[in-house]
Amino acid sequence: MRRKGVNYSKYGYIFTLPFVLAFLIFSLYPILYTAVIGFTDMKGLIPKPIHILDNPFQNFKDLLFDNPSFRKSLINTALLWITNFIPQIVLALLLTAWFTNKRLNIKGQGAFKVLLYMPNIITASTIAVLFSSLFAYPMGPVNSLFQMLGWTDAPVFFLQDKTTARGIVSFIQFWMWYGNTMIVLVAGVMGINPALFESAAIDGANGFQTFFKVTLPSLRTILLYTLITSMIGGLTMFDIPQLFLAGGPDDSTLTTSMFIYGQAFKGSYMYNRAAAASMIMFVIAAVLAGLLFYLMRDRDAAKLRKAQKNINKSEKAAKAAAREV
Amino acid sequence: MEKAPRSEVVGRRISKTIIYIVCIFLAILSILPFWIMFVNATRSTPEIQSGLSLLPSTHLMTNLHVLLDKSFDPIQGFLNSFIISTSATVFTVYFSSLTAYGLVAYNWKMRQPFFTFIMCVMMVPYQASAIGFYQFMYKLHWTNSYWPLILPAIAAPAVVFFMRQYLLATLSLEIVEAARVDGSGEFSTFNRIILPLMMPAVATQAIFAFVGNWNNLFMPLILLTQKDKYTMPIMVSLLRGDIYKTEFGSIYLGLALTALPLFVVYFLLSRYIIAGVALGGVKE
């Protein structure tokens, strides 16, 4: 007997239910709760009943206009992200161009990929503590190395100087992530239709031309994906700066995540201020992600419109031709 | 094929040499810090202070004694991290597969909106909810419990996204139909037929979920205040504390102990991990 009328669509709801429930309980409710706390005067160890401030946006105003530490954390986060992301993407693209160039045929690619990705797998907190030991003053491995090579006469106090401290944090982020970015990009290039490269080769394009005219445009979606994930990762940067120097020297490596953590959980219990800072971060992430998505969607849609126009044009031409006959 | 002109061959050889030099330099850059860590774990504090060495010394046991004397319990931390990471990984891959299957196999009204919603949720930084989450867990008396670190793993939007892309590429609905004809319920079809089919994707995502949970510092740092509940990354953060200030050998040994399991796993599974990153990257 055939049971034609069985409707399976309810299983779509049933199978996605655990995800939805877990999301509602452990993500959505806490986000809304955080948003509400941002408008209250909740502080102190023992949670009090929720009391919305007379001026609900007071916490946000205080943070944005009267809190130099918060502003500094926003600037630091942006600075650390930009200074690690630009070299990271440049080097990753360069390695991608080398590894995917069939004419160069680089040997030992597998081994290189395994080694360059390695720093990404080790606990960030381990790496942070490791680097702060490596850059120790007056006698740390890096200081010894510099003196051995004759680069410096006196030991350098890397961790006491704002610029070097920021530079090292940024370098660690770069060092941990460029291998990951490279592998993602190499995979992206592998996914491009080989016919494109063949026709470029037949047309006599050299390595540079192929890379800039064929590879990069085809990689646009994956580049945007990398950009978005890296941006969210950069906004939430926590482990490395927290354990490397705990934000010092003089707040020069204090990130927004560390600011939030510090306000709420390091003994000051300023939950309202931390929640407001979280919400500002959330809004920044949403705006930036939206902007990137807009850029991506707009171009594709534009392409679609153009293609549709061409089709219309050729249809019209065909109709006209048909009429003429 | 025509032979390339001589100058071009020479030029290519030069550029290849440069490329190999750069790659070898980067490979050394990746290994060196860890090498120094393992070497210094075997050296005494005066040795470490007297300069850099790339050869191991003989103070491993002394360092170990100093380390363990100061209430550093790597086995406890290892166990705690292992319990949390394993459970969270199982939850993540199982429920993400289930959700992705629900998205791909059934034609329901909310399917497209739900997928768009997952895409949006992927963008939310977890700090956005941390304060509310902590307050909520505090009220439930779930601080110092592992549940808040494990249960949220059920909703992992990025993994659902990955699994959906994988299913779209590999799943043929005829298998599901055939199972229905044979009288298999929808749920057992998923458990007995679809999940085994998804194993390559599950393995990849399991590795990442495990490493991600193992490395997580922010949430455990907020939620766990009892010493015997500490995870590996929290223990690492203690190594920076005052009690170890002058015991450099022990700090390096502590770091080495926390990194060692991941090194072993990584070199055993590196091929799959690299393939997994690659798979995860090609999302369009």
Side-chain angles (χ1 to χ4, degrees), chain A residues 3 31 35 42 58 67 81 85 94 98 104-105 110 138 144-145 166 185 215-216 230 233 255 267 275 282 299 311 320:
Chain A
R3 290 191 302 168
I31 290 173
M42 187 190 279
Q58 196 57 46
N67 197 322
W81 181 69
F85 187 69
L94 191 66
W98 288 345
L104 284 172
N105 190 22
S144 315
L145 188 73
R166 271 195 194 128
L185 293 179
T215 315
L216 271 190
S230 151
T255 64
F282 182 46
R299 286 190 200 169
I311 290 168

Side-chain angles (χ1 to χ4, degrees), chain A residues 8-9 23 33-34 104 107 114-115 121 123 126 133 139 175 221 225 228 232 236 243-244 257 271 279, chain B residues 16 20 29-30 49 106-107 121 123 125 127 132 135 139 180 186 215 237 240 252 258 266 283-284:
Chain A
Y8 290 104
S9 62
F23 174 79
Y33 197 2
T34 310
L104 284 172
K107 303 232 163 41
V114 167
L115 289 176
I121 219 90
T123 315
T126 301
S133 312
M139 282 309 294
W175 177 76
T221 346
Y225 162 79
I228 289 178
I232 302 288
T236 55
L243 290 181
F244 184 60
S257 285
Y271 294 118
M279 282 302 119
Chain B
K16 267 182 97 163
Y20 281 118
L29 194 66
S30 294
Q49 284 184 312
Y106 302 103
N107 194 7
V121 171
M123 305 292 151
Q127 276 89 344
Q135 292 290 330
K139 280 190 185 150
R180 274 179 199 150
E186 295 303 303
N215 288 348
S237 71
R240 288 278 278 139
Y252 282 110
T258 59
Y266 180 60
K283 283 187 167 164
E284 292 304 312

Side-chain angles (χ1 to χ4, degrees), chain B residues 45-284:
Chain B
T45 298
E47 277 175 339
I48 292 168
Q49 284 184 312
S50 71
L52 189 65
S53 162
L54 295 177
L55 294 174
S57 179
T58 53
H59 292 79
L60 183 62
M61 291 323 282
T62 341
N63 287 338
L64 191 64
H65 279 300
V66 174
L67 183 70
L68 296 184
D69 262 2
K70 301 203 166 147
S71 73
F72 183 80
D73 192 348
I75 294 169
Q76 182 74 51
F78 185 84
L79 266 178
N80 293 343
S81 276
F82 190 77
I83 293 167
I84 295 171
S85 306
T86 316
S87 333
T89 303
V90 170
F91 276 125
T92 297
V93 292
Y94 183 77
F95 286 104
S96 299
S97 307
L98 188 71
T99 312
Y101 180 68
L103 266 170
V104 173
Y106 302 103
N107 194 7
W108 40 298
K109 222 196 216 162
M110 295 300 284
R111 178 154 86 162
Q112 198 48 46
F114 183 67
F115 181 64
T116 314
F117 157 80
I118 285 182
M119 294 278 287
C120 297
V121 171
M122 259 164 59
M123 305 292 151
V124 178
Y126 59 94
Q127 276 89 344
S129 63
I131 308 293
F133 186 73
Y134 175 79
Q135 292 290 330
F136 182 31
M137 291 303 126
Y138 188 88
K139 280 190 185 150
L140 288 179
H141 300 287
W142 267 12
T143 50
N144 279 315
S145 143
Y146 291 157
W147 289 117
L149 297 169
I150 296 172
L151 286 179
I154 292 171
V159 186
V160 173
F161 187 81
F162 178 91
M163 296 293 189
R164 175 187 176 266
Q165 303 301 94
Y166 184 82
L167 274 179
L168 278 180
T170 56
L171 180 73
S172 79
L173 288 174
E174 278 147 28
I175 300 174
V176 185
E177 295 283 344
R180 274 179 199 150
V181 171
D182 290 345
S184 163
E186 295 303 303
F187 202 63
S188 77
T189 305
F190 171 76
N191 282 329
R192 292 213 239 143
I193 299 168
I194 308 301
L195 204 56
L197 279 177
M198 291 176 76
M199 265 311 148
V202 166
T204 305
Q205 289 304 305
I207 294 170
F208 289 120
F210 190 85
V211 171
N213 280 299
W214 185 277
N215 288 348
N216 187 11
L217 173 69
F218 193 82
M219 275 300 164
L221 199 58
I222 288 175
L223 289 164
L224 306 175
T225 48
Q226 274 168 25
K227 232 173 175 179
D228 57 321
K229 295 261 167 62
Y230 281 175
T231 60
M232 221 53 173
I234 302 183
M235 292 202 151
V236 171
S237 71
L238 292 181
L239 288 173
R240 288 278 278 139
D242 283 334
I243 48 170
Y244 290 104
K245 206 123 222 180
T246 51
E247 299 292 347
F248 294 121
S250 306
I251 294 178
Y252 282 110
L253 181 63
L255 291 174
L257 286 177
T258 59
L260 203 58
L262 283 173
F263 269 109
V264 173
V265 172
Y266 180 60
F267 283 110
L268 286 176
L269 299 177
S270 58
R271 208 172 350 139
Y272 305 98
I273 294 175
I274 301 288
V277 185
L279 261 175
V282 192
K283 283 187 167 164
E284 292 304 312

Side-chain angles (χ1 to χ4, degrees), chain A residues 20-57:
Chain A
V20 174
L21 282 181
F23 174 79
L24 291 178
I25 298 169
F26 295 112
S27 290
L28 189 67
Y29 175 67
I31 290 173
L32 297 176
Y33 197 2
T34 310
V36 171
I37 293 172
F39 295 111
T40 65
D41 58 359
M42 187 190 279
K43 50 187 112 167
L45 185 55
I46 296 119
K48 282 175 287 187
I50 288 198
H51 171 250
I52 305 278
L53 293 169
D54 300 333
N55 178 1
F57 288 98

Side-chain angles (χ1 to χ4, degrees), chain A residues 95 99 111-120 175-176 178-180 182, chain B residues 23 26-27 30 266:
Chain A
L95 290 169
F99 285 165
F112 283 131
K113 284 178 196 161
V114 167
L115 289 176
L116 301 191
Y117 183 67
M118 192 176 69
N120 200 246
W175 177 76
M176 282 182 75
Y178 81 93
N180 179 297
M182 177 219 22
Chain B
C23 287
L26 290 173
S30 294
Y266 180 60

